[in-house]
Amino acid sequence: MYIVTQAFLWAAGGTGFTALMTALGASMVFLFRRQPSPSLHRVMLGFAAGVMIAASMWSLLIPAIEEAEAMGLTGWLPAAGGSVLGIAFLLAMDSLLPHFTPESFHWKEGQTSRKRTALLVLAVTLHNIPEGMAVGISFALAAHSGDPALLTAAAALAMGIGIQNFPEGAAIALPLRQEGMGRGKAFAMGALSGLVEPLFGLLTVLAVGSIQPLMPWLLSFAAGAMLYVVVEELIPEANLSEGGHTGTLGVMAGFLIMMILDVALG
């Protein structure tokens, strides 16, 4: 019971930080009237992709393999199987919800503001779920193992996702403001997109407390879901035509920063 409580508190702090960074990014709507330039937007998307790639590898897949081997299992089996399940989950969700792209922020003829806002919230929720799960699972693994290195790795993961959530919050709120939504409401929508991370992170911690043998699979599930988002949407949007190398450089910067955080803190 003590371990579950400790994991819950750690995950609350980690996912609370990521949600706060999203809200801080959304608060840019009070300082700027327009969304970032296309080049800056591509850098932001690329940076988020780089962070998620590194986090999937160092903070999720490698611990999943090590945890599986400690249980006497074949290391690659839950890593590969869990990743496939995470990818399949988002494939299924993408068939139901709209893709989260820059075009998602433009009003469509005949579409009411209420309907559009609801679709946007659903799309953003879809892409924040695996991030919240990843942070929650990482802290749960650290608490159950008692390894300080895993705790610092979980903290690095939360820090990396928080860093990429800042531009994500701005990328949600600023276009909404440009389309005519009030600053307060645009900020609220941007901040709301980050609240699903603590929700799903803490729910994951509670679930892991009773299904510890599935830990390697859950870590890999979160990794697969994050990689799906990166390959399906972030990298393509960061490398649109006439974008030069800004998106690619953003990916490299995000990957290197997350790798340095994970290795230095771990």
Side-chain angles (χ1 to χ4, degrees):
M1 184 64 182
Y2 170 76
I3 292 177
V4 174
T5 301
Q6 186 179 53
F8 189 88
L9 293 176
W10 285 351
T15 55
F17 170 75
T18 62
L20 175 62
M21 291 297 288
T22 304
L24 288 176
S27 70
M28 294 297 101
V29 77
F30 296 109
L31 301 177
F32 303 100
R33 293 181 59 85
R34 298 177 126 350
Q35 61 181 321
S37 68
S39 293
L40 179 58
H41 184 69
R42 283 189 286 269
V43 171
M44 287 159 45
L45 289 174
F47 184 85
V51 167
M52 293 173 73
I53 291 171
S56 298
M57 293 175 57
W58 273 279
S59 298
L60 296 173
L61 285 177
I62 292 177
I65 293 171
E66 293 174 347
E67 183 77 4
E69 291 176 344
M71 294 178 180
L73 304 175
T74 302
W76 62 265
L77 181 59
S83 296
V84 169
L85 291 175
I87 294 167
F89 171 75
L90 285 196
L91 274 172
M93 294 300 290
D94 267 351
S95 68
L96 302 175
L97 301 178
H99 286 278
F100 181 33
T101 66
E103 289 72 23
S104 302
F105 297 105
H106 294 288
W107 302 99
K108 296 179 181 178
E109 185 177 356
Q111 190 178 62
T112 65
S113 60
R114 179 175 297 180
K115 181 179 179 180
R116 181 201 177 269
T117 300
L119 288 174
L120 180 58
V121 171
L122 286 174
V124 174
T125 298
L126 168 66
H127 295 84
N128 279 282
I129 287 174
E131 294 180 9
M133 290 179 61
V135 175
I137 293 170
S138 296
F139 279 107
L141 176 60
H144 282 280
S145 68
D147 187 349
L150 290 179
L151 176 59
T152 54
L157 174 62
M159 187 179 300
I161 290 178
I163 291 171
Q164 68 98 7
N165 276 1
F166 182 89
E168 183 180 85
I172 294 170
L174 289 172
L176 290 177
R177 171 58 181 163
Q178 188 177 359
E179 295 291 348
M181 185 177 289
R183 281 190 174 89
K185 188 173 181 180
F187 166 75
M189 295 299 296
L192 180 64
S193 70
L195 292 181
V196 296
E197 292 186 10
L199 174 62
F200 280 88
L202 296 178
L203 287 175
T204 303
V205 170
L206 293 177
V208 167
S210 59
I211 51 176
Q212 176 67 15
L214 294 181
M215 179 73 77
W217 292 85
L218 291 172
L219 286 165
S220 303
F221 178 95
M226 290 174 68
L227 289 173
Y228 175 88
V229 172
V230 169
V231 176
E232 175 74 5
E233 300 193 11
L234 294 183
I235 288 181
E237 290 295 331
N239 289 282
L240 293 174
S241 60
E242 301 180 2
H245 301 291
T246 54
T248 299
L249 293 175
V251 174
M252 297 300 100
F255 180 86
L256 290 173
I257 289 175
M258 184 63 203
M259 179 189 67
I260 291 170
L261 283 174
D262 204 306
V263 175
L265 295 178

